[in-house]
Amino acid sequence: MRRSRPETVPVSGTVSSGPRLARLGAWAALAAGPLALAVALVMPRGPVAQAAPVPQADSASRLPADPAGTAALFVELWLRSDSAEPDSPVAAALRSMAPSVQLPKRVRGEATPGALRVMPVRTASSPDGWTVVVAALTNAVPLAPAASSPAPEPAASTGPVVRYFAVSGTGGRDGGPLGVSASPAEVSAPETAPETAAGPFSHSVPSGAALSASLGEFLRTYLAGGQGAGLERYLSPGVRLSAPAAAGYVRVDVEDVVADTERAGGKEVPADGTRARLRVRVSGEDRGGTRWPLVYQLEVTTRAGRWEVGALEGEAAGAAAPSVAPSGSVAAPVAGGAR
């Protein structure tokens, strides 16, 4: 048998390079596989979230220091100081606030009139600094005896007086330190605003109105020396009120009642849900016989044919537990009634 062998066929055209390029591309893809995998693992798949910048404290945003307290302390120390004792703790404290401060020069043997109470009442600022007017309730300056008196009597005091001092200083901007410029200046009392009108309370409630009777009962119970047994029966549902335990009034008279609505002055109780704001002037007599003029502002509401107290100015109504006596006790009787 004759061995077979492939026959050679002549090709007239150019051999295509497509298969060769395909093989080269496949080998290149296989070779680039590990590199592509590494790049895919290293590169992030989504947008990178950047941390928010931490806000930095800006010294310019700090609140300015309030000079009122510094001025009040300075006046109190100054009233207690004496130039004869320049090394005293009071003088040292004053000079730490104002190094050039001058101290009062007292008469030999005169007691230092310590301030009874000091309180800032007005503050004004300017581009150059600040000024605080301070009220000081002090002992009166003793009346000096006449120089021609052969046997001078002890100096007499006329009792406590209110004096006003203006304290000027600098500093305090952007939370910086405060400094007092010099000794205080005694000034006149600041002007007070004129007495305001009645405001919303323009409707008088007569003594014969149902509301006046309810207010009289409520206030006598409220001011009965802290024995507020039954106080809750005058309050709206959910309202809590604490009676002043230190009060000891043996007589309470309602002198005057004015309201912000005309409906509060009727002899009959209006429909449920009627509201009114009141200003009540009361005269209370304590156990020592002293009569105290008191003024209250209240809010009342009608319910079930009667007036009920919903709020009392100065009291945290609804927040404090009622200060009442045990259920079996009886409140101390308080005389008086609505006038």
Side-chain angles (χ1 to χ4, degrees):
M1 297 179 65
R2 191 173 57 180
R3 180 182 301 177
S4 62
R5 55 182 180 180
E7 296 182 357
T8 303
V9 180
V11 179
S12 60
T14 305
V15 179
S16 173
S17 61
R20 181 180 298 177
L21 294 178
R23 288 195 298 271
L24 292 176
W27 284 109
L30 292 174
L35 180 61
L37 179 61
V39 172
L41 294 176
V42 172
M43 294 295 293
R45 297 185 179 181
V48 179
Q50 297 182 356
V54 179
Q56 301 292 331
D58 187 5
S59 59
S61 62
R62 290 183 297 176
L63 295 176
D66 186 4
T70 299
L73 176 61
F74 180 77
V75 169
E76 182 171 359
L77 293 173
W78 187 77
L79 289 172
R80 296 178 183 273
S81 64
D82 189 352
S83 61
E85 300 178 355
D87 299 327
S88 65
V90 173
L94 278 169
R95 290 197 172 90
S96 67
M97 304 172 71
S100 60
V101 62
Q102 294 182 341
L103 307 182
K105 185 176 181 180
R106 306 186 183 282
V107 179
R108 180 176 298 181
E110 176 191 356
T112 303
L116 302 180
R117 186 171 184 180
V118 177
M119 179 178 296
V121 295
R122 182 169 298 178
T123 302
S125 59
S126 65
D128 299 329
W130 47 263
T131 299
V132 179
V133 177
V134 176
L137 180 64
T138 68
N139 296 326
V141 178
L143 300 177
S148 59
S149 177
E153 298 179 355
S157 176
T158 59
V161 295
V162 181
R163 303 169 67 183
Y164 295 88
F165 298 90
V167 180
S168 299
T170 58
R173 295 184 180 274
D174 300 331
L178 294 165
V180 179
S181 301
S183 302
E186 187 155 4
V187 296
S188 61
E191 294 183 1
T192 57
E195 185 176 355
T196 58
F201 308 107
S202 56
H203 300 277
S204 178
V205 178
S207 59
L211 179 56
S212 295
S214 299
L215 289 175
E217 296 175 3
F218 164 72
L219 290 172
R220 285 193 292 275
T221 305
Y222 180 73
L223 296 173
Q227 301 180 21
L231 183 63
E232 66 278 1
R233 63 181 175 176
Y234 300 103
L235 307 178
S236 297
V239 176
R240 295 180 179 180
L241 200 63
S242 298
Y249 295 97
V250 297
R251 183 180 178 87
V252 175
D253 295 325
V254 177
E255 302 287 348
D256 181 61
V257 181
V258 287
D260 64 344
T261 175
E262 189 177 359
R263 291 178 293 178
K267 293 185 178 181
E268 302 294 333
V269 179
D272 289 0
T274 303
R275 296 178 180 271
R277 292 181 57 205
L278 311 172
R279 188 182 64 193
V280 185
R281 187 164 53 90
V282 175
S283 176
E285 182 179 342
D286 61 17
R287 294 185 177 91
T290 303
R291 298 190 67 86
W292 300 88
L294 309 173
V295 177
Y296 292 92
Q297 291 191 20
L298 308 90
E299 293 182 6
V300 293
T301 309
T302 57
R303 187 179 71 92
R306 61 176 184 154
W307 288 98
E308 295 178 334
V309 177
L312 177 63
E313 181 183 286
E315 284 279 358
S323 175
V324 297
S327 57
S329 62
V330 179
V334 180
R339 292 184 180 177

